[in-house]
Amino acid sequence: MSQIVEVKVPDIGDFKDVPVIEILVKVGDRVKAEDSLITLESDKATMDVPSPVSGVVTELKVKVGDTVAEGSLIALVDAAKAGAGDDPKGVQSKAATPAAIPAVTSIAAPVPATLAAPVAVAVPAAAAGGNKAHASPSVRQFARELGVDVARVTGSGPKGRITQADVQAFVKGVMSGAAAVPSVSAGGGLDLLPWPKIDFSKFGEIEVKPLSRIKKISGQNLARNWAMIPAVTYHEDADITELEAFRVQMNKEHEKSGKKLTMLAFIIKAAVRALQEFPEFNTSLDGDNLVYKKYFNIAFAADTPNGLVVPVVKEADRKSVFEIAADTGALSKKAREGKLGPAEMSGACFTVSSLGGIGGTYFAPIVNAPEVAILGVNKSAMKPVWDGKQFVPRLLLPLSLTADHRVIDGALATRFNVYLAQLLADFRRVIL
Ligand code: CAO
């Protein structure tokens, strides 16, 4: 037996032709008394119309964009289908009108399985300018329950209004390290599929080892940076024939002192000069602002038995190449011993990731947010270079610069790369 209840717009004051801006349920949804069904927006306020009874929505009489007034029929709810424990209040009359529209109502909308428990999403505060997000009271309440600042959510509804689906998509995006990246389907979030769950033992023998702590932390950072930064990698070769000869000569001269110059130290020194020449590379995005740094701390990726860490050479602009080499040597040793402190891994402006001691030709490093660029370096190799008359053997160092396209355009990135290659080709330019 069904017990159909007509849900009508209650007394909303003197308003006529109030647009329906959001439908919060669909036919077949089970609702509890006081659950919001639709959202209306007058010139003055946004209001939710709750269901007066528990039951199942059997018909929706309005759609987004329709206009309603007091008494307009918005939905039919079958109160006979109220679940056990629900109180089918107000079922006596066939046509039920909610007593009033609460300013903020709570909805029991289904939350994706992965978010079954409210999740505190660590989202930075809204940028200066305050919360101008358009969202109905129920959506705001829903966002609050999930710990989401609605100002960070991109709305896909009419006039950019934030819907419940937008909040869910945003949370999914944050959980997957990709907050608020627009999607082609829903307009928010990445709509990612869950990670494939496969029983590999079905196919052969396996051994399961937990990820190291460093891998877990760096993995989360890398996933966020890869998903959130529209990055492009630019390649260049630097002719380091003379520089390498100079480095070898210097190391011979300083053999007894125990001092050693590395190519990495020269690259860091040259990178500082390039950052000074191209200040956009020494910045970080902060909302709609770009923070220009007047200091030059250069991080470098260090491969350790426990995973990748990124120690920082502080004030590299004030250090000689010998001092930088001593710093990278000491920091690499500490990194391999797992003894780096947080202060030694923070405050970087730009990162150099050198695989030169191993090999490779080129690669595409991931920007180390909130920096805006990273330089990848591979193994130098002797190659024939045309000098206008003949091919001559030159030592070429492959450079791979990845830059955040929100801050750095391709032309600027290429200018930076060309300049950096010039510095390495003739290191006297660094002191100019
Ligand atoms: N081309 C050719 N040879 C190079 C070179 C280059 N670009 N860079 C270094 N080498 C040589 C060095 O000269 C050294 O040889 P010598 O002892 O004869 O001088 C040898 O390779 C070993 O160098 P190294 O890599 O141990 O030392 P480094 O100072 O160049 O680098 C460090 C230090 C910490 C950057 C490096 O040990 C390291 O960990 N690299 C890996 C970084 C990494 O994993 N990046 C990827 C991040 S993204 O996943």
Side-chain angles (χ1 to χ4, degrees):
M1 270 255 314
S2 54
Q3 201 173 359
I4 302 296
V5 174
E6 291 181 336
V7 183
K8 294 184 174 176
V9 175
D11 178 4
I12 52 172
D14 252 356
F15 297 107
K16 301 255 179 318
D17 299 330
V18 184
V20 176
I21 58 156
E22 203 173 344
I23 307 281
L24 302 167
V25 291
K26 55 185 184 324
V27 171
D29 278 359
R30 186 172 290 281
V31 294
K32 293 211 213 78
E34 300 307 320
D35 283 354
S36 298
L37 301 179
I38 64 168
T39 305
L40 312 176
E41 185 179 58
S42 74
D43 294 344
K44 303 236 162 45
T46 306
M47 304 156 279
D48 282 356
V49 178
S51 173
V53 296
S54 299
V56 170
V57 178
T58 58
E59 211 173 319
L60 284 164
K61 297 288 190 185
V62 288
K63 56 185 185 319
V64 171
D66 287 354
T67 53
V68 295
E70 182 183 348
S72 300
L73 181 61
I74 59 164
L76 300 181
V77 175
D78 187 349
K81 291 188 180 152
D86 291 342
D87 172 22
K89 62 181 174 172
V91 178
Q92 295 86 341
S93 90
K94 186 128 176 32
T97 302
I101 301 178
V104 176
T105 57
S106 79
I107 55 168
V111 175
T114 49
L115 303 174
V119 179
V121 182
V123 178
N131 178 353
K132 295 194 184 103
H134 288 293
S136 66
S138 61
V139 170
R140 284 177 189 280
Q141 170 75 8
F142 180 62
R144 263 198 302 277
E145 283 168 8
L146 295 178
V148 171
D149 176 358
V150 284
R152 308 286 303 183
V153 181
T154 307
S156 65
K159 294 183 199 160
R161 179 163 294 284
I162 296 162
T163 65
Q164 190 183 319
D166 293 332
V167 176
Q168 287 173 339
F170 178 83
V171 173
K172 275 194 216 167
V174 170
M175 300 291 283
S176 64
V181 177
S183 118
V184 279
S185 54
L190 278 183
D191 280 347
L192 294 176
L193 291 172
W195 194 255
K197 198 89 187 124
I198 293 170
D199 177 9
F200 297 102
S201 65
K202 280 197 307 199
F203 306 108
E205 191 185 329
I206 59 165
E207 185 189 354
V208 179
K209 291 182 182 176
L211 285 175
S212 70
R213 199 179 63 85
I214 289 177
K215 276 232 155 69
K216 276 195 263 184
I217 296 169
S218 64
Q220 286 176 342
N221 280 309
L222 289 166
R224 179 200 57 204
N225 299 348
W226 193 85
M228 288 184 75
I229 300 175
V232 180
T233 303
Y234 308 84
H235 302 290
E236 184 65 68
D237 285 336
D239 184 337
I240 58 163
T241 316
E242 269 84 40
L243 183 58
E244 177 60 8
F246 176 66
R247 188 184 79 87
V248 170
Q249 172 67 29
M250 286 299 103
N251 280 343
K252 247 187 221 148
E253 283 181 23
H254 291 85
E255 212 164 3
K256 289 202 182 103
S257 72
K259 286 182 180 175
K260 194 180 166 193
L261 288 174
T262 60
M263 188 50 70
L264 177 65
F266 281 106
I267 293 166
I268 289 176
K269 191 72 189 170
V272 168
R273 186 69 200 88
L275 292 179
Q276 288 167 337
E277 195 70 18
F278 297 91
E280 292 85 353
F281 283 76
N282 200 22
T283 61
S284 284
L285 271 173
D286 180 17
D288 288 338
N289 293 325
L290 198 54
V291 181
Y292 284 77
K293 294 157 203 169
K294 310 287 179 186
Y295 53 89
F296 298 88
N297 298 336
I298 310 296
F300 64 99
D303 182 34
T304 79
N306 289 322
L308 190 69
V309 289
V310 192
V312 182
V313 177
K314 299 274 164 59
E315 298 187 323
D317 56 320
R318 297 181 187 201
K319 290 180 177 160
S320 69
V321 182
F322 270 119
E323 286 170 324
I324 293 172
D327 271 15
T328 55
L331 288 165
S332 304
K333 184 167 178 287
K334 272 180 126 176
R336 283 191 293 271
E337 291 165 353
K339 289 185 181 158
L340 282 178
E344 290 164 309
M345 291 187 282
S346 55
C349 307
F350 181 81
T351 298
V352 176
S353 178
S354 173
L355 293 168
I358 305 168
T361 48
Y362 303 93
F363 71 116
I366 297 173
V367 175
N368 188 20
E371 295 154 39
V372 295
I374 180 170
L375 179 72
V377 180
N378 285 102
K379 196 177 182 70
S380 58
M382 272 294 180
K383 295 208 172 147
V385 176
W386 185 252
D387 72 354
K389 288 187 193 134
Q390 58 185 338
F391 281 105
V392 288
R394 305 295 296 177
L395 186 64
L396 299 186
L397 179 72
L399 305 176
S400 306
L401 177 77
T402 302
D404 185 335
H405 212 319
R406 293 172 299 179
V407 179
I408 292 156
D409 293 334
L412 193 65
T414 305
R415 283 192 190 105
F416 181 95
N417 247 356
V418 168
Y419 182 70
L420 184 64
Q422 283 173 347
L423 294 174
L424 293 168
D426 184 350
F427 214 75
R428 292 172 304 180
R429 291 169 184 268
V430 171
I431 55 170
L432 294 179

